[in-house]
Amino acid sequence: PDYANFAWFSRDNTAAPKVIREAEARRKAAETAGGALLAIYRREWEASFDVFIGQIFSLDAARHVFAGPVHRSQYKEIVGGFDWARAHAGCLLMAGVREDGGYDIVAETYEAGLLVQSWIAKMRAAESAWKPGTIYADPSSPNLPDYQNAGLPVEPATVRDVLAGIERVADLMARRGRDGKPMLRIHAGCVNLLREMQGYRWKESPTGSSDMPVKAADDACDALRYLVSSHGRGPAVWGIR
C-alpha cells in the first residue's frame, strides 16, 4: 500500500484564533532571534526532532554588554537571583528593572567554597548597596529558611523548569525595549556571568544532543534564570501579553 505523511501545526487550527496568534507571534520572534529560541520553538510548536547543539545564548558584546557607573536610583526596582551549592561556586546577581520592563544585570557576587553564614554576610552587603525587593533563589535549596530567618528578602524561584528559564533569557536577549536597548543587558563588571554565558552549551547525549545544558560552570546562568523567570512583573515570554 501507499503511505503519505501529513502534518498540521497549532497555527493551522482555525477554531482557536488565540492559539493561531500566539503561534504566529512565537514563530516570528523565533525566526528573528534564531539560536536557542528557534530550536525551542521548533520542538514545542512544530514537534520537530531538530537537535540542540552548541552554544545556547547568542551573546553579542556590542548589544548586550554595557559599562559605566550604575546606581539603584536609575531603575524603578531592583531584584536579585541566587544560586549556591556546597561543592561549587555560588552566584548572587543584582538586576535593575527598567521602565520598559527590561533588565540590566548591574552587579554580581561570585565565590566558591562559602558556607551559608558567609553568603548571608554577602547578601547583607548587596542588600545595603542595592535594596532589592526580592532575591529569587534555587527552590530546591535546603538553606532557604536560613536566609529568610536572617531577615533577607529571599524567596524560592517560581519557575523550576530549566528549558523554560533558558527560553525566557533568550527571549529577553532577542527583543528590544522602547529605547532600542535589548531587554536583557549585562554590565561589563559581571565577568563571571559573561564568561559562563559564552560557555553555556547544550549537553551531548549518546544520540548526539540533549534538551538540557551541560551541568558545569553554570551557577551564574542558573541565578540569571531564577531572576528573570520568577520576576512576574516583567514582559511576558516572547513579547506576548
Side-chain angles (χ1 to χ4, degrees):
D2 294 330
Y3 294 92
N5 292 323
F6 300 91
W8 289 270
F9 303 119
S10 298
R11 61 177 180 268
D12 300 320
N13 185 0
T14 57
K18 184 177 179 180
V19 173
I20 292 176
R21 290 194 299 272
E22 181 178 357
E24 186 63 13
R26 287 176 179 260
R27 182 187 66 79
K28 290 179 179 178
E31 290 179 351
T32 299
L37 213 59
L38 182 58
I40 292 170
Y41 168 80
R42 287 174 173 168
R43 283 280 191 98
E44 299 295 326
W45 288 80
E46 295 185 347
S48 167
F49 291 100
D50 285 8
V51 296
F52 291 173
I53 57 174
Q55 187 172 339
I56 294 176
F57 296 129
S58 300
L59 183 67
D60 180 352
R63 289 184 57 220
H64 297 113
V65 181
F66 71 104
V70 287
H71 189 269
R72 63 177 182 268
S73 61
Q74 297 172 232
Y75 300 98
K76 68 175 185 177
E77 184 182 6
I78 302 292
V79 292
F82 179 58
D83 183 62
W84 174 81
R86 190 182 302 276
H88 48 84
C91 182
L92 173 65
L93 299 177
M94 292 289 120
V97 183
R98 306 195 309 253
E99 290 296 330
D100 62 1
Y103 296 85
D104 286 351
I105 309 302
V106 294
E108 70 171 18
T109 304
Y110 192 96
E111 298 277 356
L114 295 186
L115 299 180
V116 171
Q117 289 303 317
S118 296
W119 272 113
I120 287 175
K122 296 282 186 183
M123 281 192 184
R124 283 179 173 153
E127 184 184 29
S128 176
W130 293 100
K131 302 292 190 296
T134 305
I135 298 172
Y136 298 101
D138 181 356
S140 66
S141 173
N143 299 113
L144 284 175
D146 296 320
Y147 301 110
Q148 293 168 333
N149 292 338
L152 294 162
V154 175
E155 297 292 339
T158 57
V159 178
R160 302 185 64 172
D161 184 78
V162 175
L163 195 59
I166 290 173
E167 182 180 31
R168 172 73 165 150
V169 173
D171 169 58
L172 290 168
M173 293 177 70
R175 290 191 289 115
R176 294 180 183 269
R178 291 193 297 265
D179 58 2
K181 297 174 182 175
M183 295 294 283
L184 177 63
R185 301 192 307 161
I186 302 161
H187 193 275
C190 299
V191 294
N192 293 288
L193 175 59
L194 292 169
R195 171 181 55 80
E196 285 194 5
M197 291 183 75
Q198 290 169 337
Y200 202 49
R201 305 181 70 81
W202 296 111
K203 182 179 180 180
E204 294 185 6
S205 71
T207 59
S209 70
S210 168
D211 60 0
M212 294 293 288
V214 174
K215 191 61 185 166
D218 61 351
D219 305 282
C221 289
D222 285 350
L224 179 63
R225 286 193 295 103
Y226 299 146
L227 192 161
V228 300
S229 297
S230 301
H231 184 244
R233 284 164 285 179
V237 174
W238 302 77
I240 301 165
R241 296 186 181 274

